[in-house]
Amino acid sequence: MAAPRDNVTLLFKLYCLAVMTVTAAAYTIALRYTRTSDKELYFSTTAVCITEVIKLLLSVGILAKETGSLGRFKASLRENVLGSPKELLKLSVPSLVYAVQNNMAFLALSNLDAAVYQVTYQLKIPCTALCTVLMLNRTLSKLQWVSVFMLCAGVTLVQWKPAQATKVVFLQVLVASTLLLWLSTQTTS
């Protein structure tokens, strides 16, 4: 049996990578600005909750569009959400951890420089790589290991002298590590 063809072009993949990078950087800068301005602060838990409600509504909308009819939509919700309380309980654990992580991001951005936060936040990628190797017994290619170590080195350099961490260094480390990780996923796909 032949492997399915990849219908997504390289240009579209690069476009998605660029949009995701700009979105992540803009999110961090906007969040940092709103958390350090002299205006009245908002509750970070409210912002996280509203974000999750928006994602829920978008997900339900996409499910409704894909099912095509109200009857199939209701049946899908009944079967996959209400009919699987054990699976729902399993999904609540990472959801709770994710909510805590998002609230900690607000706390970190209230106390750290945006560039230092963004680069340090990328440490989740090496942590995920290590968990993948240790817990799931998967192997990483040499290019993926180089990407992980390069990302760690970039984070270390930014943390070493955070006062000298310029926007150029931040963007170089972020873009280079993102491109290397993206390239490494392309070689394993």
Side-chain angles (χ1 to χ4, degrees):
M1 182 185 217
R5 292 188 49 123
D6 191 8
N7 293 344
V8 181
T9 65
L10 177 64
L11 184 62
F12 182 72
K13 289 179 182 179
L14 290 173
Y15 167 77
C16 289
L17 180 66
V19 167
M20 290 172 62
T21 303
V22 168
T23 303
Y27 169 78
T28 303
I29 292 167
L31 197 62
R32 170 75 178 154
Y33 173 75
T34 61
R35 296 306 289 177
T36 57
S37 67
D38 292 335
K39 298 176 184 171
E40 189 175 334
L41 285 181
Y42 53 89
F43 290 116
S44 61
T45 51
T46 305
V48 170
C49 185
I50 289 172
T51 302
E52 295 306 315
V53 167
I54 289 170
K55 286 195 262 185
L56 175 68
L57 293 175
L58 286 173
S59 299
V60 168
I62 291 170
L63 178 65
K65 185 177 185 300
E66 285 190 5
T67 53
S69 73
L70 185 60
R72 286 195 300 239
F73 172 70
K74 286 180 181 179
S76 178
L77 279 179
R78 195 175 305 114
E79 177 186 337
N80 296 315
V81 178
L82 301 175
S84 306
K86 194 174 183 180
E87 295 299 318
L88 198 58
L89 187 61
K90 287 180 188 176
L91 286 175
S92 67
V93 175
S95 298
L96 182 63
V97 171
Y98 187 68
V100 170
Q101 173 193 349
N102 284 338
N103 281 298
M104 297 307 275
F106 276 87
L107 180 66
L109 274 169
S110 298
N111 298 305
L112 291 174
D113 182 56
V116 173
Y117 165 80
Q118 186 66 25
V119 175
T120 306
Y121 187 69
Q122 297 308 314
L123 281 176
K124 68 183 179 181
I125 296 170
C127 290
T128 303
L130 285 175
C131 288
T132 300
V133 170
L134 297 174
M135 296 175 160
L136 302 177
N137 294 326
R138 303 228 5 225
T139 58
L140 297 180
S141 69
K142 288 180 183 177
L143 184 58
Q144 287 171 324
W145 280 115
V146 167
S147 301
V148 167
F149 286 120
M150 184 176 164
L151 185 58
C152 290
V155 170
T156 304
L157 286 174
V158 169
Q159 291 298 330
W160 197 337
K161 298 196 180 200
Q164 297 175 359
T166 64
K167 294 174 188 171
V168 174
V169 172
F170 159 67
L171 287 174
Q172 287 174 342
V173 169
L174 184 64
V175 170
S177 59
T178 305
L179 284 174
L180 271 174
L181 284 169
W182 177 74
L183 284 172
S184 66
T185 58
Q186 297 306 306
T187 59
T188 58
S189 300

